[in-house]
């Protein structure tokens, strides 16, 4: 009977409920970050508290808001009944100024507006001088320095202890790893030196001991390395 029920389950169109496996992503691989990690906080919350950033680019989704930010938005004195029309907003933005105009002597229509502030010098009386664009292209002054960028982004807070420890670890030079010669290589090199001394040509032609058929230069380099490591006397 149990087998028939199992067959009906397999034929059913209802998808089976499967538990989502736990993520195998290892985040706390760095021991400095692992010391200050809080399991009750999310990845973004931990990184923000430690003074790190989760993404180099701007986050596309929403960001977490603090309670203080929400309270500040509520406390703003905004009159919900004060309706500002578009015409009023435009009037507030318009700057009133004076300018000279030229009229047609026959019809009296305004031909053009002459603004003395923006008038270009025309010593040669070029008739096309007024037709040229008055907008000057901005000059590229190069990449701004870090202080200028910080002033645009905002005041940068003090570095946390985690960031200082990470920077100190990054500045620390990495220890050089010396490759040790395998025991089998050391054994056959000693046999070649005991049999032929410094004759690397005979060593290379000995197919019994030098079964890997290494060249004279390769054998010379390996024997020199073995002598430098005090693994070979003489």
């Amino acid at each position: 009977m149990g087998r028939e029920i199992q067959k009906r389950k397999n034929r059913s169109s209802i998808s089976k409920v499967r538990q989502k496996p736990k993520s195998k992503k290892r985040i706390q691989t760095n021991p400095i970050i692992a010391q200050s990690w809080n399991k009750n906080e999310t990845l973004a919350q931990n990184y923000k508290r430690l003074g790190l950033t989760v993404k180099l680019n701007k986050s596309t989704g929403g960001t977490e808001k603090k309670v203080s930010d929400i309270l500040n938005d509520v406390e703003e004195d905004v009159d919900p009944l004060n309706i500002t029309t578009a015409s009023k907003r435009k009037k507030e933005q318009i700057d009133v100024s004076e300018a000279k105009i030229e009229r047609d002597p026959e019809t009296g229509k305004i031909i053009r507006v002459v603004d003395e502030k923006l008038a270009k010098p025309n010593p040669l009386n070029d008739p096309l001088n007024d037709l040229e664009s008055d907008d000057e292209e901005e000059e590229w002054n190069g990449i701004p320095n870090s202080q200028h960028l910080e002033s645009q982004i905002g005041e940068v807070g003090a570095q946390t202890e985690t960031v200082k420890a990470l920077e100190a670890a990054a500045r620390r030079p990495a220890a050089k790893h010396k490759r040790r010669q395998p025991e089998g290589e050391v054994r056959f090199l000693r046999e070649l030196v005991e049999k032929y001394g410094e004759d690397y040509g005979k060593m290379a032609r000995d197919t019994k001991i030098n079964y890997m058929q290494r060249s004279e230069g390769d054998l010379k380099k390996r024997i020199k390395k073995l002598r430098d490591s005090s693994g070979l006397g003489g």
Side-chain angles (χ1 to χ4, degrees):
M1 186 65 184
R3 187 175 178 184
E4 297 297 328
I5 295 174
Q6 191 67 30
K7 286 182 180 179
R8 285 199 297 270
K9 285 183 179 179
N10 294 334
R11 290 195 300 267
S12 176
S13 60
I14 301 174
S15 59
K16 297 179 181 179
V17 178
R18 296 180 180 178
Q19 293 182 352
K20 189 176 180 181
K22 293 183 179 180
S23 177
K24 296 181 180 179
K25 189 184 295 183
R26 297 183 63 186
I27 301 173
Q28 305 176 31
T29 54
N30 192 301
I32 299 174
I33 297 177
Q35 289 178 357
S36 305
W37 194 265
N38 187 359
K39 295 182 179 180
N40 297 326
E41 295 179 352
T42 62
L43 175 67
Q45 290 172 346
N46 274 290
Y47 270 48
K48 187 175 182 180
R49 179 173 50 81
L50 298 177
L52 305 174
T53 179
V54 182
K55 294 183 179 180
L56 296 178
N57 298 327
K58 186 178 179 181
S59 58
T60 55
T63 55
E64 182 183 9
K65 290 186 178 181
K66 296 181 180 179
V67 179
S68 58
D69 298 338
I70 299 173
L71 294 176
N72 291 334
D73 295 340
V74 174
E75 290 176 358
E76 289 183 356
D77 296 330
V78 179
D79 189 1
L81 301 177
N82 184 14
I83 301 173
T84 306
T85 59
S87 60
K88 290 183 179 180
R89 288 195 297 269
K90 288 182 179 179
K91 289 180 181 178
E92 294 175 357
Q93 295 175 359
I94 294 175
D95 295 332
V96 180
S97 61
E98 295 181 358
K100 291 183 179 181
I101 59 174
E102 288 186 4
R103 294 181 180 271
D104 190 354
E106 297 180 358
T107 60
K109 293 182 178 180
I110 298 174
I111 300 174
R112 67 189 183 97
V113 179
V114 180
D115 193 349
E116 295 180 352
K117 296 180 181 179
L118 301 177
K120 284 187 175 182
N122 190 11
L124 301 178
N125 296 324
D126 186 6
L128 301 178
N129 186 60
D130 296 335
L131 300 178
E132 295 178 358
S133 176
D134 294 332
D135 297 331
E136 296 181 357
E137 296 181 357
E138 295 182 359
E139 296 182 358
W140 185 71
N141 297 323
I143 300 174
N145 53 18
S146 58
Q147 295 180 355
H148 179 65
L149 290 175
E150 289 179 1
S151 63
Q152 288 183 344
I153 297 172
E155 295 183 358
V156 180
Q159 289 184 345
T160 59
E161 296 297 330
T162 305
V163 175
K164 292 179 181 178
L166 289 172
E167 290 181 351
R171 287 192 296 267
R172 194 179 303 121
K176 294 183 179 180
H177 176 70
K178 292 185 178 180
R179 177 184 171 274
R180 295 182 60 184
Q181 291 175 300
E183 294 181 1
E185 181 179 332
V186 173
R187 192 183 306 114
F188 93 85
L189 289 176
R190 284 178 177 173
E191 291 181 8
L192 290 173
V193 172
E194 290 175 0
K195 187 174 182 180
Y196 299 106
E198 298 291 334
D199 195 345
Y200 298 102
K202 291 182 179 180
M203 292 181 188
R205 290 190 294 271
D206 190 341
T207 57
K208 186 176 181 181
I209 302 176
N210 185 20
Y211 57 90
M212 295 293 291
Q213 293 294 294
R214 302 189 184 277
S215 62
E216 296 182 27
D218 191 8
L219 290 171
K220 187 175 182 180
K221 182 176 67 175
R222 292 176 185 273
I223 291 172
K224 181 179 181 301
K225 185 177 180 180
L226 184 62
R227 283 175 176 164
D228 293 342
S229 61
S230 301
L232 187 64

